[in-house]
Amino acid sequence: MSKHYAVFGSPITHSQSPRIHAAFAKQTGIGMDYVAIAANHDDFRAKLDASGVVGANITLPLKEDAFALCAGNVSARALRAGAVNTVLRDGAQWRGDNTDGLGLVRDLTERHGLDLRGRRTLLLGAGGAARGVAPALLDAGIHSLYVINRNSARADALVDAMGEPGRTHARAWDTLPALGEFDLLINATSASRGGQLPSLAMALVAPRSVAVDLSYGEAAVPFLAWARAAGCAQTVDGLGMLVEQAAESFLLWHGVRPDTAAVFAELSGRADALLTAD
Ligand code: NDP
């Protein structure tokens, strides 16, 4: 009998995760079904428990809720991130993990051929996605990480959680123009979902800079267009990360890591039509 899986979040209608996991299941011959379930802070736990799933992905805005829900039953990387994007049923409890960081690093290094070592890095946002990618970027050897967030307390908390005060720094938006050039600029905010682009300074960009938006499709356009106009050497959207983090979740649930190349190629062929990322 097929086991049930799902992705929880809001908005969730345009999530690509059901399509990605269906492709992985077909490729590996594993019987499963995977659906998208809309949930918010107030009803997430009840919906997860009632869903009958044995595993789930958790997306915006629930990754920190999922971390709390797992009550310490989390992997080392989820503990460091303070955010969970993958849960597995563990008896009457849920076990949490975070595959976002590995997904981003795999996409940047293996698909896009980037060497992350030594890069002075700017991270815009301090929500669940930023928390997931920050430890993986540090582990991949970036030089330093500057975290900017609208709510400065969240940026402070992220930096504190990394436990590397010499390499990680929280800064306010209004200090951005004075921070100098960055080799890697990552937009981990959800601002563009509301059609907004946070105010950014051209002085952040050098000719060698790479800009990454964790969103893809229309949502990635404002930041990546700004990055190209500012002179970035390369721009990358979040579609590859989406497929890679999904493959890592699939591995946790089924013990098999699917091949991501064909799924990425299929999705990128229609990326312009995609409205949202997970
Ligand atoms: P959260 O809701 O947890 O965090 C949202 C972040 O965006 C916060 O830092 C928030 O700041 C900031 N933000 C929202 N609106 C604005 C604005 N108008 N101006 C400045 N900052 C703003 O969401 P996630 O962290 O889970 O997701 C963030 C983005 O990453 C989403 O677009 C999501 O689709 C994408 N993503 C992509 C993945 C992939 O695989 N490609 C995986 C995970 C996420 P504040 O704290 O001040 O509210």
Side-chain angles (χ1 to χ4, degrees):
M1 211 172 74
S2 271
K3 287 185 176 168
H4 305 304
Y5 297 83
V7 56
F8 290 81
S10 177
I12 202 72
T13 321
H14 299 288
S15 172
Q16 296 304 307
S17 290
R19 170 186 290 266
I20 292 170
H21 282 277
F24 289 164
K26 189 172 172 195
Q27 181 196 112
T28 56
I30 289 172
M32 60 175 280
D33 61 68
Y34 186 114
V35 297
I37 298 177
N40 271 303
H41 299 295
D42 50 356
D43 61 8
F44 168 49
R45 164 142 233 159
K47 286 193 170 178
L48 179 65
D49 287 340
S51 63
V53 301
V54 295
N57 286 125
I58 314 300
T59 187
L60 173 149
L62 299 172
K63 292 180 182 184
E64 288 156 273
D65 302 61
F67 179 80
L69 180 145
C70 292
N73 187 15
V74 295
S75 67
R77 60 190 175 186
L79 183 64
R80 191 156 172 231
V84 156
N85 82 330
T86 307
V87 295
L88 307 79
R89 196 177 276 285
D90 184 8
Q93 293 186 311
W94 293 98
R95 174 157 180 75
D97 205 335
N98 196 314
T99 65
D100 279 341
L102 183 55
L104 176 65
V105 169
R106 267 189 192 269
D107 182 55
L108 295 182
T109 58
E110 295 180 19
R111 181 168 291 112
H112 295 284
L114 292 170
D115 186 348
L116 300 180
R117 289 173 298 177
R119 286 184 186 259
R120 191 166 185 264
T121 300
L122 177 67
L123 180 62
L124 303 172
R131 278 185 160 268
V133 302
L137 290 166
L138 290 164
D139 291 349
I142 60 166
H143 173 270
S144 51
L145 186 68
Y146 287 77
V147 182
I148 315 281
N149 196 50
R150 191 173 53 176
N151 174 342
S152 59
R154 278 180 109 183
D156 291 340
L158 192 162
V159 164
D160 287 349
M162 294 306 106
E164 296 196 47
R167 286 174 81 203
T168 54
H169 314 276
R171 294 286 185 269
W173 278 107
D174 60 5
T175 67
L176 259 181
L179 290 183
E181 294 173 346
F182 289 91
D183 308 300
L184 180 62
L185 300 92
I186 300 177
N187 181 23
T189 75
S190 53
S192 52
R193 286 174 173 240
Q196 295 176 310
L197 177 66
S199 167
L200 297 166
M202 298 277 185
L204 299 168
V205 171
R208 64 181 178 282
S209 303
V210 175
V212 179
D213 198 318
L214 301 194
S215 300
Y216 59 82
E218 285 182 11
V221 169
F223 177 70
L224 297 184
W226 169 84
R228 280 189 286 274
C232 275
Q234 192 173 346
T235 58
V236 177
D237 74 10
L239 191 63
M241 171 185 168
L242 179 72
V243 177
E244 296 305 327
Q245 61 79 28
E248 293 300 324
S249 296
F250 195 91
L251 172 63
L252 288 169
W253 295 328
H254 308 294
V256 181
R257 193 178 197 283
D259 177 37
T260 54
V263 178
F264 175 75
E266 195 213 319
L267 286 176
S268 48
R270 48 190 293 283
D272 288 348
L274 303 179
L275 296 175
T276 185
D278 291 64

